[in-house]
C-alpha cells in the first residue's frame, strides 16, 4: 500500500479496460510497444486474479452501497479484463468483481464458498490452527509495476471520462424479500415462483411480457457452460393477465401459476441436459457468419430471432460445497443489464430470505430500478397472499 501511494498519484490506467473492447485492444497494442508496459501487461495478464486493498471503506450495514462499490469501484482499481478481482475494504468487508468470459457464476460461487468456509480466523484476523499451514506455499514479495504512458494522455482522459459516465449511468438497487420456504410450503418450485413474480412485476409496470433470459448451467457436461431458459410462455402470460382480473377466481389463478412454474421447471431441466435451443442456434449462426454465407438463412434474419433480452435474470449460486454454512455465506450477487432499455436481475436464495439485485441504465427513458424492484416486492407479497402463506 505504501508503494501504491496516495489516490492522487494513481494514473487510472485500469480505466482503459472499461472501454469498448476494440478501442482497448488498439490502445493495448500501442502500450506494448514500450518494454516497461509490455512487462506490466504480461504480469497482469498471466495472474490468476487481482486483489484491491481499498483506501475507502464499505458501509458494513448497507448491502446496496457495498454492491455498487464492488460493481465499479473508482477509476483506478477494477481491471475489468480479469476474471476475478477481490476487493477488501479497511473494515475487512470483502467482495468480488467477476468478468464473465472465462467462467460462470457457478465457478466463482464455489471458489467464494471455499474461501468463506475453509479458513478460521481469530479476533485479530490471523488464520488459526489447524488451518495456518495446511496449504502453505511461497509468496513472492510485492513489486511495484511500472507504466510509461507518454503519448497516451488523451486516450487516458477519454477512458476515465467514459468510465465516469458509465458509473453515473449505472442504476443498481438491492432489496430483500421472504425466501424459498414460502413457495416450498405451497408445493411449488421456488425458482419458478421467483421467475413468475418477476413476470407479474413486469406485466404490471409495462402491461407486457418481454423476452426473458434465465441462465441454466450445463456443467453436467465436460467444459459445459450455460444454456438459456425462456420463462415466458403462453402459460406465464395467462397467469399474469389473470392475476389482477377480478373476474378470474383465485383457484384458477393458482392453477395458472402452477402450470407456468411446471413449464418453467421442465424447460430448465431440458436446458441443463443440453436440450435447449439458444446455444445450438447461436453456434449455427457463427458457422454461417464465419463461412461468409450469403444470404444468411432466413431464420437468422427473422424478427423473433433478433429480439433482445430486455429482462435478463439469473439465480446467484450458493450452497455449492459440502462445507457451506449460512453464517459464512454471501449476502448478495448481481450483474449489469445486457440491453440499454432493459433490466439485469439477480436473486440470491435462502430459506428465509431472497436478496434481489436490480440493475438498469439511468439514461434509458423506459427503466427505473427502484420502481421495478418495488414491483417485484409487491408481486412477491401478492403471491404469498394468494396462498395465505
Amino acid at each position: 500500500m505504501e508503494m501504491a501511494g496516495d489516490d492522487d498519484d494513481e494514473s487510472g490506467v485500469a480505466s482503459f479496460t472499461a472501454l469498448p473492447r476494440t478501442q482497448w485492444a488498439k490502445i493495448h497494442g500501442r502500450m506494448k510497444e514500450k518494454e516497461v508496459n509490455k512487462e506490466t501487461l504480461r504480469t497482469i495478464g498471466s495472474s490468476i486474479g487481482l486483489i484491491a486493498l481499498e483506501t475507502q471503506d464499505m458501509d458494513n450495514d448497507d448491502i446496496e452501497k457495498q454492491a455498487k462499490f464492488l460493481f465499479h469501484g473508482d477509476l483506478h482499481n477494477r481491471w475489468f479484463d480479469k476474471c476475478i478481482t477481490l476487493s477488501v475494504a479497511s473494515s475487512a468487508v470483502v467482495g468480488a468483481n467477476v468478468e464473465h468470459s472465462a467462467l460462470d457464476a457457478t465457478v466463482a460461487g464455489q471458489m467464494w464458498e471455499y474461501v468463506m468456509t475453509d479458513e478460521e480466523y481469530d479476533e485479530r484476523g490471523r488464520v488459526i490452527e489447524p488451518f495456518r499451514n495446511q496449504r502453505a506455499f511461497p509468496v513472492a514479495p510485492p513489486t511495484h509495476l511500472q507504466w510509461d504512458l507518454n503519448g497516451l494522455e488523451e486516450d487516458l482522459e477519454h477512458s476515465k471520462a467514459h468510465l465516469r459516465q458509465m458509473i453515473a449511468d449505472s442504476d443498481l438497487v438491492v432489496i430483500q424479500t421472504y425466501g424459498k420456504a414460502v413457495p416450498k410450503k405451497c408445493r411449488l418450485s421456488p425458482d419458478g415462483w421467483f421467475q413468475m413474480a418477476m413476470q407479474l412485476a413486469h406485466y404490471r409496470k409495462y402491461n407486457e411480457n418481454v423476452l426473458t433470459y434465465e441462465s441454466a448451467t450445463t456443467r453436467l457436461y465436460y467444459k459445459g457452460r450455460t444454456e438459456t431458459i425462456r420463462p415466458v410462455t403462453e402459460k406465464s402470460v395467462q397467469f399474469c393477465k389473470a392475476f389482477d382480473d377480478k373476474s378470474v377466481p383465485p383457484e384458477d389463478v393458482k392453477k395458472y401459476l402452477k402450470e407456468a412454474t411446471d413449464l418453467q421447471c421442465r424447460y430448465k431441466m431440458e436446458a441443463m441436459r443440453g436440450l435447449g435451443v439458444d446455444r445450438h442456434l447461436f453456434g449455427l449462426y457463427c458457422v454461417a457468419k464465419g463461412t461468409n454465407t450469403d444470404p444468411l438463412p432466413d431464420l437468422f434474419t427473422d424478427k423473433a430471432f433478433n429480439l433482445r433480452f430486455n429482462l435478463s435474470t439469473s439465480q446467484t449460486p450458493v450452497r455449492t460445497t459440502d462445507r457451506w454454512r449460512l453464517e459464512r455465506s454471501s449476502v448478495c450477487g448481481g450483474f449489469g443489464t445486457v440491453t440499454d432499455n432493459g433490466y439485469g436481475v439477480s436473486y440470491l436464495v435462502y430459506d428465509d430470505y431472497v436478496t434481489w439485485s436490480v440493475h438498469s441504465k439511468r439514461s434509458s427513458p423506459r427503466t427505473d430500478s427502484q420502481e421495478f424492484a418495488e414491483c417485484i416486492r409487491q408481486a412477491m407479497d401478492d403471491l404469498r397472499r394468494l396462498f395465505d402463506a
Side-chain angles (χ1 to χ4, degrees):
M1 293 185 72
E2 289 177 358
M3 286 182 186
D6 299 328
D7 283 350
D8 292 341
D9 296 332
E10 296 288 350
S11 67
V13 66
S15 65
F16 282 141
T17 65
L19 289 170
R21 293 185 184 227
T22 301
Q23 292 183 35
W24 166 218
K26 291 178 179 178
I27 293 172
H28 189 278
R30 289 163 55 200
M31 290 177 69
K32 287 175 64 176
E33 293 172 359
K34 298 179 179 179
E35 193 61 34
V36 62
N37 294 337
K38 185 177 181 180
E39 179 59 25
T40 296
L41 289 169
R42 187 203 64 79
T43 301
I44 295 173
S46 62
S47 66
I48 293 175
L50 302 181
I51 297 176
L53 302 177
E54 307 290 355
T55 55
Q56 56 181 298
D57 203 359
M58 289 183 277
D59 191 327
N60 287 14
D61 299 320
D62 194 323
I63 299 175
E64 186 172 295
K65 286 184 178 179
Q66 293 174 7
K68 289 177 179 178
F69 186 74
L70 290 170
F71 197 36
H72 46 65
D74 53 26
L75 300 178
H76 309 123
N77 61 3
R78 296 289 184 273
W79 194 271
F80 292 109
D81 287 354
K82 277 326 279 190
C83 63
I84 189 164
T85 298
L86 293 177
S87 174
V88 187
S90 57
S91 61
V93 174
V94 63
N97 182 292
V98 179
E99 203 283 322
H100 215 317
S101 297
L103 50 83
D104 301 314
T106 307
V107 179
Q110 287 176 339
M111 184 214 69
W112 196 241
E113 232 164 76
Y114 183 93
V115 169
M116 296 287 283
T117 59
D118 207 58
E119 288 187 346
E120 298 276 350
Y121 307 89
D122 64 18
E123 66 279 359
R124 296 178 62 186
R126 297 173 301 187
V127 179
I128 62 175
E129 300 292 356
F131 305 95
R132 181 173 298 155
N133 298 314
Q134 64 179 4
R135 292 178 183 84
F137 59 92
V139 179
T143 58
H144 193 177
L145 302 180
Q146 303 288 336
W147 300 106
D148 182 349
L149 301 175
N150 288 326
L152 293 166
E153 292 84 357
E154 288 188 12
D155 299 285
L156 187 58
E157 289 308 308
H158 167 71
S159 68
K160 289 194 286 188
H162 174 77
L163 182 53
R164 287 192 192 97
Q165 187 275 326
M166 291 180 70
I167 293 173
D169 197 26
S170 178
D171 185 9
L172 177 63
V173 171
V174 177
I175 64 169
Q176 288 187 325
T177 64
Y178 60 83
K180 67 180 180 182
V182 171
K184 288 172 69 175
K185 179 181 176 182
C186 301
R187 307 181 74 82
L188 290 173
S189 157
D191 187 60
W193 180 289
F194 303 139
Q195 283 290 328
M196 293 310 121
M198 283 186 277
Q199 291 304 317
L200 180 58
H202 196 282
Y203 184 79
R204 284 172 162 176
K205 181 168 172 56
Y206 296 104
N207 198 35
E208 66 173 350
N209 294 104
V210 294
L211 184 62
T212 302
Y213 173 93
E214 180 186 3
S215 61
T217 180
T218 53
R219 287 177 64 79
L220 289 170
Y221 296 92
Y222 179 59
K223 293 188 177 181
R225 294 288 302 260
T226 65
E227 178 55 277
T228 302
I229 306 167
R230 291 173 173 250
V232 176
T233 61
E234 291 181 354
K235 297 296 183 182
S236 71
V237 173
Q238 182 182 37
F239 159 71
C240 291
K241 290 182 176 179
F243 196 94
D244 293 318
D245 187 341
K246 302 302 182 185
S247 68
V248 180
E251 290 306 312
D252 285 353
V253 177
K254 292 180 183 179
K255 183 185 76 168
Y256 298 153
L257 174 61
K258 185 177 188 323
E259 290 174 345
T261 57
D262 285 350
L263 190 54
Q264 183 266 351
C265 271
R266 192 177 78 192
Y267 200 127
K268 175 168 64 176
M269 296 308 297
E270 290 176 349
M272 290 174 65
R273 288 162 47 212
L275 300 177
V277 299
D278 282 81
R279 300 298 180 266
H280 179 67
L281 292 176
F282 181 64
L284 293 176
Y285 173 79
C286 290
V287 170
K289 294 288 286 187
T291 55
N292 297 315
T293 301
D294 187 24
L296 285 173
D298 291 344
L299 169 65
F300 300 134
T301 59
D302 189 88
K303 178 182 178 182
F305 185 81
N306 290 283
L307 287 173
R308 306 298 300 277
F309 286 105
N310 277 335
L311 182 54
S312 182
T313 72
S314 181
Q315 184 176 158
T316 302
V318 294
R319 205 165 188 168
T320 59
T321 71
D322 57 7
R323 293 181 290 272
W324 179 86
R325 284 180 285 168
L326 179 61
E327 64 271 18
R328 286 174 175 259
S329 294
S330 299
V331 293
C332 183
F335 58 89
T337 175
V338 298
T339 65
D340 290 337
N341 293 299
Y343 293 100
V345 182
S346 177
Y347 48 108
L348 185 148
V349 179
Y350 294 119
D351 285 340
D352 296 331
Y353 70 90
V354 176
T355 304
W356 301 80
S357 165
V358 180
H359 183 269
S360 64
K361 294 187 176 182
R362 297 184 188 278
S363 56
S364 170
R366 180 180 180 274
T367 59
D368 186 302
S369 293
Q370 186 65 55
E371 289 183 5
F372 190 54
E374 290 306 319
C375 287
I376 293 174
R377 190 198 303 276
Q378 185 64 54
M380 288 284 286
D381 289 343
D382 290 344
L383 284 179
R384 177 165 59 177
R385 196 174 298 113
L386 176 67
F387 287 84
D388 295 321

